[in-house]
């Protein structure tokens, strides 16, 4: 959620830090600040609001001078958004920025207050700074180790010590952190996309490893102060994938990237009409013995899991449960020895999903991660990993990540179907062929954007919107509803169409927009009947259906047709115009499409 950037080099650090913070805006924030180490010590500038407020302060005469510094974008947890609560925080000899939550900060704060420390903010981060200062006697690594032992919770810390000039110290536990390496300078950041314009070389600190970052090199230590070796990694993304490339918003760019992203995800895993998942540690006989699957995720990833449940149960007849990650571990789930727990997360750092992963591992249940970011916490800790290979996704509202998560789940469903004897060789080959054709169908759906824009213009002033559907279309409605509310701030809900008469229809009145998704031939007539029910009560109806479906011209003038594909694969195409619908409505309403209010891209707090 919060974003961290740090620079140690030969150039003036301020503009480099500010540029890094701009690239971190997608993570979500409500204040920002920098701390720079100069000849007169550490200088801090911070401000509530968007980065422009911080820039204005700096331009008005508060510009610090120095070639080493740290920066931060804060998403408020403890204490309201304000200049005082913004990071960096300073106490004694210590200045730091923090991503995460210190869970025992009240206890630690009481201890520091008893020692005479006066706190100026409401944050847990200032408590972390005070605790680190408490332990600091001239040895930064020893003080960091003692602080790590004292604090509970999640954190990634970027630290400056007053008497350690031009040096950044960094440590993490659960929250993400990368160390960027180059010949001219070295960096810390919350993720590699921030650093791509500077370097593709990086280190991934494990929890409990301490990085000492200077302009001429990086040293890594363990908590005992012993030097450790880390392998240098190379990012396979380039700067172009993290830029808008002429698109007005990242969200629109990423929707247009969906055909290539899906192709890149699917094509290497299909060989001669067979699924080759390419997971060396997960042999076919283990999947063949899987008796039940638990899919655990949050938000959009959880909605992908719901489609995955439909596909796996339909093709493999293996029972699947889908849990919101934040609820999974608190319901004391029943897990069997031949169960498989699948964790889905774009960032691989989602705090609730990571906690669910650790619960499954404690129960000695096999875990499979579906993530986009190599080296992320979930990828490192899961028994096995399926990468989605989507490339960077910058917009907070996930679009192409959802499509590649679906892609992986469909591949897994077909594989399981074959291993469990529910699909023949011919069935597998036909499904593989159909999946290979999906990127072209997605592109065709994108090409119909003009039709989507016309529908968006009719809905832009809506206050409430209802989505209805049956079967896999209902799961798609859930994601479509989330996408619209995320970026446009319109209140909208998704309902199983058959449930309308059990209460929800009481909310329908004259002019209420109702969007029905009906792509399943066996359920089409029933869904249309539900649409007739709401229309008779005054609803302004819109239908999303397949090309070629017969639609009564009196039913609706708001019609979106999608390319026809195999019924079970329809969500991969149908979601595209609904993503575009959410995008266009948000733009028409003047919303900040890429950075919706109160939201963050990587949710690293529970």
């Amino acid at each position: 959620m919060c974003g961290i950037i740090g620079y140690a080099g030969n150039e003036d650090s301020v503009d480099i830090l500010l540029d890094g913070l701009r690239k971190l805006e997608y993570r979500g924030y409500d204040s920002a600040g920098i701390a720079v180490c100069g000849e007169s010590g550490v200088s801090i500038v911070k401000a509530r609001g968007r980065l422009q407020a911080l820039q204005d302060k700096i331009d008005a005469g508060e510009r610090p001078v120095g070639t080493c510094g740290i920066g931060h974008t804060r998403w408020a947890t403890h204490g309201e958004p304000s200049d005082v609560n913004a990071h960096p925080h300073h106490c004694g000899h210590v200045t730091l920025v923090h991503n995460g939550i210190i869970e025992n900060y009240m206890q630690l704060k009481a201890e520091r207050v008893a020692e005479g420390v006066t706190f100026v903010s409401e944050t847990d981060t200032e408590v972390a700074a005070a605790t680190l200062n408490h332990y600091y006697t001239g040895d930064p690594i020893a003080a960091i180790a003692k602080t790590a032992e004292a604090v509970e919770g999640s954190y990634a810390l970027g630290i400056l010590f007053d008497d350690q000039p031009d040096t950044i110290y960094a440590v993490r536990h659960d929250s993400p952190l990368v160390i960027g390496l180059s010949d001219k300078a070295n960096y810390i950041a919350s993720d590699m996309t921030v650093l791509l314009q500077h370097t593709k070389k990086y280190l991934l600190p494990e929890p409990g490893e301490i990085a000492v970052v200077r302009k001429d090199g990086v040293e890594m230590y363990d908590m005992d102060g012993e030097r450790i070796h880390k392998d240098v990694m190379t990012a396979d993304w380039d700067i172009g994938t993290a830029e808008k490339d002429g698109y007005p918003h990242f969200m629109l760019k990423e929707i247009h990237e969906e055909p290539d992203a899906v192709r890149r995800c699917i094509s290497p895993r299909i060989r001669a009409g067979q699924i080759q998942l390419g997971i060396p540690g997960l042999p076919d006989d283990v999947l063949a013995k899987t008796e039940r699957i638990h899919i655990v995720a949050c938000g959009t990833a959880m909605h992908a899991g719901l489609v995955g449940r439909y596909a796996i149960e339909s093709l493999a007849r293996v029972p699947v449960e889908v849990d919101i990650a934040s609820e999974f571990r608190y319901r004391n789930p029943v897990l069997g020895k031949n169960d498989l727990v699948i964790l889905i997360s774009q960032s691989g750092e989602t705090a609730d999903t990571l906690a669910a992963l650790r619960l499954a591992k404690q129960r000695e249940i096999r875990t499979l991660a579906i993530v986009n970011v190599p080296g992320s916490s979930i990828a490192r800790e899961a028994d096995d990993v399926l990468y989605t290979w989507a490339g960077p996704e910058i917009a907070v509202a996930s679009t192409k990540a959802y499509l590649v998560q679906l892609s992986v789940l469909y591949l897994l469903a077909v594989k399981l179907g074959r291993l469990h004897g529910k699909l023949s060789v011919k069935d597998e080959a036909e499904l593989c062929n159909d999946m290979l054709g999906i990127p072209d169908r997605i592109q065709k759906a994108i090409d119909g954007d003009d039709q989507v824009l016309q529908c968006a213009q009719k809905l832009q002033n809506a206050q409430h919107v209802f989505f209805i559907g049956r079967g896999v279309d209902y799961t798609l409605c859930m994601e479509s509803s989330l996408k619209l509310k995320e970026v446009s701030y319109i209140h909208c809900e998704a309902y199983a169409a058959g449930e309308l008469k059990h209460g929800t229809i009481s909310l329908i009145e004259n002019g209420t927009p109702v969007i029905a998704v009906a792509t399943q031939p066996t359920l089409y007539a029933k869904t249309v009947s539900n649409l007739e029910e709401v229309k008779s009560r005054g609803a302004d109806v819109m239908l999303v259906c397949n090309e070629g479906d017969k639609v009564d011209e009196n039913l609706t003038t708001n019609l979106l047709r999608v390319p026809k594909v195999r019924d079970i694969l329809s969500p991969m195409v149908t979601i595209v115009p609904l993503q575009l619908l959410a995008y266009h409505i948000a733009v028409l309403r003047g919303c900040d499409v890429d950075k919706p209010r109160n939201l963050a891209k990587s949710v690293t707090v529970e």
Side-chain angles (χ1 to χ4, degrees):
M1 301 183 75
C2 304
I4 290 173
I5 179 69
Y7 169 80
N10 294 308
E11 300 180 37
D12 180 77
S13 62
V14 173
D15 290 337
I16 293 172
L17 294 173
L18 289 173
D19 184 63
L21 293 180
R22 290 187 188 96
K23 290 181 169 58
L24 286 166
E25 285 187 294
Y26 74 94
R27 296 179 70 90
Y29 74 107
D30 41 51
S31 61
I34 61 172
V36 173
C37 181
E39 292 183 0
S40 58
V42 176
S43 301
I44 298 174
V45 188
K46 51 187 182 176
R48 175 186 176 179
R50 293 299 189 188
L51 272 171
Q52 188 58 48
L54 177 63
Q55 182 75 65
D56 290 344
K57 272 192 172 184
I58 291 171
D59 293 343
E62 295 188 39
R63 184 184 183 94
V65 177
T67 59
C68 177
I70 53 178
H72 188 269
T73 51
R74 176 180 186 249
W75 189 87
T77 55
H78 299 73
E80 66 179 4
S82 68
D83 288 8
V84 172
N85 288 332
H87 297 208
H89 286 281
H90 174 79
C91 184
H93 299 284
V94 173
T95 302
L96 60 76
V97 291
H98 166 221
N99 177 9
I101 286 182
I102 307 302
E103 295 177 354
N104 63 334
Y105 83 102
M106 290 297 293
Q107 172 194 333
L108 295 173
K109 186 173 185 177
E111 293 173 2
R112 302 290 85 78
V113 169
E115 296 165 357
V117 176
T118 299
F119 290 91
V120 298
S121 78
E122 304 168 88
T123 67
D124 56 333
T125 301
E126 189 183 7
V127 176
T131 301
L132 181 56
N133 185 68
H134 167 79
Y135 288 116
Y136 185 59
T137 58
D139 184 343
I141 292 175
I144 291 170
K146 290 178 180 177
T147 301
E149 185 177 355
V151 302
E152 299 172 4
S154 61
Y155 54 82
L157 300 176
I159 308 161
L160 300 175
F161 291 92
D162 288 349
D163 56 355
Q164 303 289 328
D166 300 322
T167 304
I168 302 170
Y169 292 80
V171 65
R172 65 173 290 268
H173 177 69
D174 290 348
S175 297
L177 185 72
V178 299
I179 312 297
L181 310 174
S182 77
D183 296 334
K184 298 179 180 179
N186 295 294
Y187 309 81
I188 67 171
S190 295
D191 62 63
M192 193 61 203
T193 58
V194 181
L195 305 180
L196 287 174
Q197 65 177 321
H198 304 294
T199 181
K200 289 188 176 183
K201 303 293 185 182
Y202 65 100
L203 303 176
L204 281 176
E206 294 291 338
E209 295 178 349
I210 301 168
V212 183
V213 181
R214 301 184 179 93
K215 64 181 180 181
D216 55 357
V218 173
E219 298 170 354
M220 299 294 299
Y221 294 85
D222 63 19
M223 287 293 173
D224 294 324
E226 298 293 328
R227 283 282 298 271
I228 57 176
H229 171 75
K230 298 288 291 183
D231 292 332
V232 177
M233 307 179 74
T234 302
D236 58 2
W237 301 338
D238 58 44
I239 185 62
T241 60
E243 300 291 348
K244 291 180 183 176
D245 289 342
Y247 288 92
H249 301 94
F250 278 111
M251 183 177 177
L252 183 62
K253 173 179 181 276
E254 288 156 6
I255 293 173
H256 279 259
E257 289 174 342
E258 287 173 342
D260 285 340
V262 171
R263 188 176 291 110
R264 191 165 56 244
C265 181
I266 289 178
S267 296
R269 291 170 168 139
I270 294 178
R271 290 288 180 269
Q274 293 183 323
I275 302 295
Q276 304 290 337
L277 293 177
I279 312 176
L282 186 60
D284 287 354
D285 61 340
V286 173
L287 288 175
K289 294 176 183 176
T290 299
E291 296 176 354
R292 182 177 295 273
I293 293 173
H294 307 263
I295 297 178
V296 184
C298 302
T300 288
M302 188 272 290
H303 292 157
L306 290 171
V307 177
R309 176 179 66 185
Y310 188 94
I312 293 169
E313 290 188 342
S314 296
L315 298 176
R317 306 309 296 163
V318 175
V320 180
E321 296 180 6
V322 180
D323 275 273
I324 298 170
S326 57
E327 295 294 327
F328 179 74
R329 63 192 179 116
Y330 296 117
R331 72 174 179 88
N332 191 22
V334 178
L335 303 173
K337 65 177 182 178
N338 290 324
D339 287 4
L340 176 66
V341 175
I342 299 176
L343 300 308
I344 309 176
S345 168
Q346 189 281 137
S347 67
E349 302 291 350
T350 311
D352 289 310
T353 308
L354 182 59
L357 164 64
R358 290 170 176 167
L359 172 64
K361 291 184 72 68
Q362 288 171 7
R363 301 276 187 90
E364 298 183 344
I365 306 300
R366 195 173 194 105
T367 55
L368 171 64
I370 297 175
V371 299
N372 187 38
V373 182
S376 56
S377 296
I378 292 173
R380 291 202 300 268
E381 295 190 27
D383 295 315
D384 304 289
V385 185
L386 273 170
Y387 288 110
T388 56
W389 301 329
E393 186 180 65
I394 305 301
V396 169
S398 182
T399 52
K400 70 172 176 176
Y402 176 76
L403 263 293
V404 291
Q405 287 164 357
L406 291 187
S407 300
V408 169
L409 288 165
Y410 278 115
L411 290 166
L412 183 60
V414 175
K415 183 70 172 181
L416 286 166
R418 186 77 183 95
L419 292 173
H420 284 256
K422 305 302 179 183
L423 296 176
S424 66
V425 173
K426 181 182 177 183
D427 293 332
E428 181 181 16
E430 290 177 349
L431 280 160
C432 286
N433 184 64
D434 287 349
M435 283 191 286
L436 289 171
I438 288 293
D440 291 339
R441 301 296 190 277
I442 293 173
Q443 184 60 58
K444 187 176 180 181
I446 293 172
D447 293 342
D449 193 24
D450 289 345
Q451 181 186 12
V452 177
L453 178 58
Q454 292 175 17
C455 291
Q457 290 167 341
K458 297 176 183 178
L459 291 169
Q460 69 181 85
N461 296 317
Q463 298 301 310
H464 309 276
V465 174
F466 295 102
F467 288 80
I468 62 172
R470 290 173 177 265
V472 72
D473 287 335
Y474 169 51
T475 67
L476 193 71
C477 286
M478 296 173 71
E479 172 59 14
S480 303
S481 173
L482 175 63
K483 210 54 50 195
L484 182 56
K485 71 180 71 170
E486 277 182 313
V487 297
S488 74
Y489 314 143
I490 294 173
H491 168 253
C492 47
E493 303 293 340
Y495 293 98
E499 279 293 293
L500 279 172
K501 60 185 68 69
H502 297 288
T504 308
I505 203 166
S506 66
L507 298 174
I508 303 301
E509 58 187 6
N510 191 45
T512 302
V514 176
I515 300 173
V517 180
T519 67
Q520 304 299 296
T522 58
L523 299 171
Y524 179 80
K526 290 185 178 296
T527 303
V528 169
S529 293
N530 296 131
L531 208 52
E532 294 280 11
E533 291 170 357
V534 295
K535 183 182 179 182
S536 68
R537 288 157 176 82
D540 184 7
V541 303
M542 172 179 163
L543 177 63
V544 182
C545 63
N546 292 318
E547 292 177 341
D549 287 345
K550 293 183 179 180
V551 179
D552 186 341
E553 62 182 14
N554 295 317
L555 180 62
T556 177
T557 56
N558 299 324
L559 184 64
L560 283 178
R561 293 189 180 274
V562 296
K564 173 67 177 173
V565 297
R566 183 186 289 249
D567 298 345
I568 199 168
L569 299 176
S570 64
M572 296 191 69
V573 178
T574 308
I575 189 59
V576 176
L578 292 168
Q579 291 173 340
L580 287 167
L581 183 70
Y583 168 78
H584 285 306
I585 290 174
V587 171
L588 290 167
R589 290 168 67 93
C591 299
D592 191 346
V593 177
D594 288 335
K595 300 183 288 292
R597 66 188 182 204
N598 303 329
L599 298 182
K601 184 66 177 174
S602 179
V603 184
T604 54
V605 297
E606 294 184 53

